[in-house]
Amino acid sequence: HFLEQTAGRLGARLVATAHTADDQAETILHRIVRGTGIRGLSGMARVRPLGHATLIRPLLNVRRTELQAYLDAINQPYRHDQSNADLRFTRNRIRHETMPQLREQFNSGVTEALLRLGALAGETQAVVDDLVEELFTRCVAADGLGAVRIELSGLVDRPCYLVRELLMAVWRRQGWPMQSMGRLRWNELSELAISTAPPVQRVFPGGVTAEVAEGWMRLHKSV
């Protein structure tokens, strides 16, 4: 939020962060531990929107030791954030305790293994995103201010996973809160979309109401 505000104040088009390949591997492991799907397994995006600017991570393929060695070689000072050593934070315990233990006791190439997993997940998610975009174009339409209508006939015989991904795409594009929509709620919503039950209306986290009737699902957020 701070970077987004600062970019807006300065009129910056790009915001670059120094996340490395090691940061990416730690992120993937952290998400595995917390529970994640294929999108989460792909790790941090190399490029993503940040308000009116774009966030880029140009060093995401560079190992942390390589980066530090390069900076030392050109006598370039750099700053260590003291909070990165605070083991109260899960991310830091993964970096300073879990990853070294995995490297020493299980797989010396654990960082590379996690990065390969992330790359494969990213490729898989790209295929899913293409299918979702096709479904979105065919089945989803705006329905008044801040509301969306989904033609449910287009979802017949589609895998539940693809239906969930479509609904998540709707949520993201509408800017609705996703944090409280856990797997059970996404499953509940996707089952509504592919069921043949009588007309129904349910309210989901964030005040989003789903109304299903006559072959359509209408989604809108309470003001």
Side-chain angles (χ1 to χ4, degrees), residues 25-40:
E26 293 159 7
T27 295
I28 293 168
L29 181 57
H30 195 181
R31 291 179 179 180
I32 291 172
V33 171
R34 290 186 302 180
T36 190
I38 293 176
R39 187 181 300 278

Side-chain angles (χ1 to χ4, degrees), residues 140-161:
V140 181
D143 186 32
L145 187 62
V148 170
R149 283 168 63 89
I150 303 174
E151 185 179 359
L152 300 182
S153 62
L155 306 184
V156 175
D157 296 329
R158 297 286 182 169
C160 287
Y161 181 80

Side-chain angles (χ1 to χ4, degrees), residues 41-53:
L41 278 181
S42 64
M44 295 179 283
R46 187 176 302 280
V47 178
R48 74 169 179 83
L50 187 69
H52 295 294

Side-chain angles (χ1 to χ4, degrees), residues 22 63 95 98-111:
D22 295 84
R63 294 296 300 271
R95 173 177 297 176
T98 307
M99 287 294 287
Q101 185 178 24
L102 290 173
R103 198 172 291 117
E104 293 167 9
Q105 299 185 21
F106 297 94
N107 180 4
S108 60
V110 65
T111 298

Side-chain angles (χ1 to χ4, degrees), residues 115-129:
L115 293 173
R116 284 195 299 272
L117 174 63
L120 289 170
E123 292 173 3
T124 302
Q125 188 63 51
V127 173
V128 172
D129 287 343

